[in-house]
């Protein structure tokens, strides 16, 4: 990603990973985080589905190559690998699904800054699960559009790149290549993003794993 994008996202920019359910959006975001941590960057990962402990174990898996199910049996090996390879600081923060807004993330970032933490990358897993404020009974597509605009604004205010993920629609699950037309609920999300990466994996590819 860094090679294709000439070094990755910059402050003020929003990247979106689009894929059907179960393809690996969350893993992709965490792999971006591990790459940044290996490079000595500080990462804040906001999770709106999985609990903090499980997310931490998945980060450990990406660092070490040890499957999540075997982490506890290989604690020393995993710990040594992370100690040697992780050059930055990782903060994982859980918010309940639909229980947080972009303003909630803004407040948390301000709080950790006061505590001396200086993030270089923000991961939000994932933006579609944030709650919009101020749009009342507006259609879902308008609410999602507002959320993505607010996330990009957050990136601009803090001058920290933000990566998030978005669910594709039903047609995306059977497509050889997931396109922007497959972005669920709001095509406008793509208009806000600076970079959109799509992932696809057909049923026969899943069976081979």
């Amino acid at each position: 990603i860094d090679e294709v994008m000439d070094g990755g996202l910059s402050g003020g920019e929003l990247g979106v990973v689009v894929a059907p359910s179960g393809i690996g959006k969350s893993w992709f975001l965490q792999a971006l985080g591990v790459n940044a941590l290996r490079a000595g960057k500080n990462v804040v990962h906001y999770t709106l589905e999985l609990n903090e402990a499980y997310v931490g174990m998945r980060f450990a898996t990406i660092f070490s190559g040890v499957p999540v199910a075997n982490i506890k049996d290989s604690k020393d090996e995993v710990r040594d690998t992370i100690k040697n390879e992780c050059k930055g600081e990782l903060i994982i923060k859980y918010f309940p699904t639909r229980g947080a807004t972009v303003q909630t993330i803004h407040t948390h970032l301000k709080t950790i800054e006061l505590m001396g933490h200086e993030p270089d990358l923000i991961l939000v897993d994932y933006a579609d699960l944030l709650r919009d404020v101020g749009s009342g009974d507006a259609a879902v597509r308008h609410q999602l559009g507002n959320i993505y605009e607010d996330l990009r604004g957050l990136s601009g205010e803090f001058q920290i790149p933000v990566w998030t993920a978005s669910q594709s629609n039903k047609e995306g699950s059977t497509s050889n290549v997931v396109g922007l037309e497959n972005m669920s609920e709001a095509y406008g999300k793509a208009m806000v993003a600076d970079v959109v990466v799509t992932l696809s994996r057909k049923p026969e590819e899943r069976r081979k794993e």
Side-chain angles (χ1 to χ4, degrees), residues 156-173:
E157 178 178 345
F158 285 90
Q159 281 300 295
I160 302 172
V162 175
W163 275 99
T164 190
S166 178
Q167 190 96 343
S168 74
N169 58 22
K170 184 178 180 181
E171 288 74 21
S173 62

Side-chain angles (χ1 to χ4, degrees), residues 33 66 82 85 88-91 118 128 146 156-157 178 193 199 204:
V66 177
I82 293 174
E85 295 188 15
E89 177 187 56
L90 172 64
I91 295 175
E118 298 181 2
D128 293 17
N146 291 340
E157 178 178 345
V178 176
L199 308 176
E204 56 267 30

Side-chain angles (χ1 to χ4, degrees), residues 106-118:
H106 182 283
T107 301
H108 182 260
L109 288 170
K110 285 292 188 182
T111 301
I112 63 174
E113 279 190 347
L114 290 173
M115 297 170 65
H117 302 288
E118 298 181 2

Side-chain angles (χ1 to χ4, degrees), residues 47 66 68 76-77 84 169-170:
T47 171
V66 177
V68 170
D76 292 339
E77 174 192 341
N84 292 330
N169 58 22
K170 184 178 180 181

Side-chain angles (χ1 to χ4, degrees), residues 10-97:
S10 298
E13 294 183 334
L14 174 66
V16 182
V17 182
V18 182
S21 178
I23 296 300
K25 297 185 296 295
S26 297
W27 283 103
F28 189 94
L29 290 178
Q30 290 177 261
L32 293 174
V34 167
N35 182 66
L37 291 164
R38 283 176 171 151
K41 305 298 183 182
N42 300 327
V43 177
V44 181
H45 180 104
Y46 293 103
T47 171
L48 302 163
E49 276 189 312
L50 307 173
N51 66 57
E52 294 169 358
Y54 185 64
V55 171
M57 290 175 71
R58 285 167 54 144
F59 269 100
T61 286
I62 298 171
F63 267 115
S64 65
V66 177
V68 170
N70 299 336
I71 291 285
K72 291 182 179 179
D73 296 328
S74 308
K75 284 188 293 186
D76 292 339
E77 174 192 341
V78 172
R79 187 183 298 112
D80 290 344
T81 300
I82 293 174
K83 185 177 180 180
N84 292 330
E85 295 188 15
C86 184
K87 309 301 182 183
E89 177 187 56
L90 172 64
I91 295 175
I92 302 171
K93 178 65 178 176
Y94 168 78
F95 291 116
T97 299

